[in-house]
């Protein structure tokens, strides 16, 4: 896989030197509780942990910032709608619509948890090369079909995007300029349809090629995973951190 399709997997860091299997386990152990938190304090703690993992993984700041910017673009809609649509204690009004404390709290909670999960997953899973991701999941007894979907989605989403870019360039070369009219809508509909057809054709060719090469439903890799004391210590630390977040959630809920 070219480095451009794996922007976080080609860095030398303490996190990258860990066994991919333990990184996958740590990602699950950390992000599942973080996604279920309801306390802003606990969610803030999860965000801090995610930021520390990103620093430990030495993730490229520019690429990480772009990813976070894309994620927070969607959380922005939460800040636009939730303060006005969530019942609760009114704080102020904008254009005749009441802004509630509960709505602001919910939007902030979602923002904290979203960034915490993205940072943690990027540091722990995004740092695993695709060639090792499938075998690592298989060694953890993840269902084969799920392994295939994750790995092939990662691999071929980039190729489908490149195919879309080529089709857009071909349309512009033929004088196409997008406007707000039926011609533009029909052109984009044809483009989407052709993209689906070409993606289907590529999927069939890839399947046939894999069958010709003896693919039997499992990934094979030259990578050898070895467990060390550092891997066990790291997973133990993540377990303690996750337990601490759950404890903090319980304390804040009963306070």
């Amino acid at each position: 896989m070219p480095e451009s399709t794996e922007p976080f997997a080609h860095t030398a860091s303490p996190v990258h030197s860990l066994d991919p299997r333990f990184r996958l386990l740590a990602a699950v152990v950390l992000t599942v509780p973080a996604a279920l938190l309801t306390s802003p304090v606990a969610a803030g703690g999860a965000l801090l942990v995610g930021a520390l993992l990103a620093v430990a993984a030495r993730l490229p700041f520019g690429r990480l910032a772009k990813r976070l910017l894309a994620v927070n673009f969607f959380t922005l809609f939460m800040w636009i709608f939730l303060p006005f649509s969530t019942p609760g204690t009114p704080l102020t009004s904008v254009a005749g619509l009441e802004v509630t404390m509960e709505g602001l709290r919910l939007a902030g909670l979602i923002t904290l948890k979203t960034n915490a999960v993205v940072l943690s997953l990027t540091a722990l899973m995004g740092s695993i090369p695709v060639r090792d991701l499938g075998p690592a999941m298989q060694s953890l007894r993840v269902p084969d079909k799920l392994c295939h979907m994750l790995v092939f989605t990662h691999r071929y989403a980039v190729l489908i995007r490149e195919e879309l870019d080529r089709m857009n360039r071909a349309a512009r070369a033929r004088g196409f300029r997008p406007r707000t009219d039926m011609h533009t809508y029909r052109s984009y509909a044809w483009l989407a349809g052709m993209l689906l057809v070409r993606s289907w054709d590529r999927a069939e060719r890839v399947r046939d090629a894999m069958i010709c090469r003896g693919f039997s439903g499992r990934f094979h890799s030259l990578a050898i995973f070895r467990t060390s004391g550092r891997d066990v210590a790291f997973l133990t630390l993540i377990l303690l951190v996750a337990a601490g977040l759950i404890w903090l959630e319980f304390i804040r809920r009963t306070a």
Side-chain angles (χ1 to χ4, degrees), residues 33-224:
L36 299 177
L37 296 175
T38 59
S39 167
V41 175
L47 178 60
L48 177 61
V49 173
L52 292 176
L53 286 172
V55 172
R58 299 173 185 171
L59 302 181
F61 178 76
R63 291 177 174 176
L64 181 61
K66 288 181 180 179
R67 178 164 296 188
L68 290 176
L69 184 62
V71 170
N72 284 283
F73 175 78
F74 292 98
T75 62
L76 177 63
F77 290 96
M78 303 294 178
W79 288 93
I80 294 175
F81 294 107
L82 287 179
F84 300 99
S85 60
T86 304
T89 305
L91 289 179
T92 185
S93 62
V94 177
L97 299 175
E98 291 185 342
V99 178
T100 63
M101 173 67 74
E102 288 74 9
L104 291 174
R105 181 181 181 277
L106 182 57
L109 177 65
I110 293 174
T111 301
L112 290 174
K113 294 198 297 182
T114 300
N115 286 274
V117 170
V118 170
L119 284 172
S120 299
L121 287 178
T122 303
L124 295 173
M125 290 187 63
S127 58
I128 302 175
V130 176
R131 65 176 181 272
D132 296 334
L133 183 60
M137 290 191 297
Q138 286 183 160
S139 66
L140 295 174
R141 299 296 187 268
V142 177
D144 289 337
K145 290 185 178 180
L146 180 58
C147 295
H148 298 163
M149 286 191 296
L150 289 175
V151 173
F152 287 130
T153 298
H154 186 286
R155 175 67 180 92
Y156 288 99
V158 178
L159 296 181
I160 293 174
R161 175 59 185 269
E162 292 175 352
E163 184 70 29
L164 177 62
D165 291 340
R166 284 195 295 269
M167 294 171 67
N168 279 324
R169 287 196 299 270
R172 290 195 299 270
R174 289 166 173 79
F176 173 73
R177 295 295 182 271
R179 300 182 181 88
T180 308
D181 54 22
M182 290 303 300
H183 173 69
T184 299
Y185 300 150
R186 283 194 299 267
S187 299
Y188 278 127
W190 279 106
L191 186 146
M194 287 303 302
L195 184 63
L196 289 174
V197 170
R198 294 187 181 184
S199 300
W200 181 270
D201 290 340
R202 181 185 292 273
E204 289 188 332
R205 293 196 302 271
V206 171
R207 178 182 64 88
D208 294 341
M210 293 176 67
I211 292 175
C212 289
R213 288 162 174 80
F215 181 70
S216 59
R218 290 187 64 84
F219 294 110
H220 299 280
S221 174
L222 297 178
I224 299 176

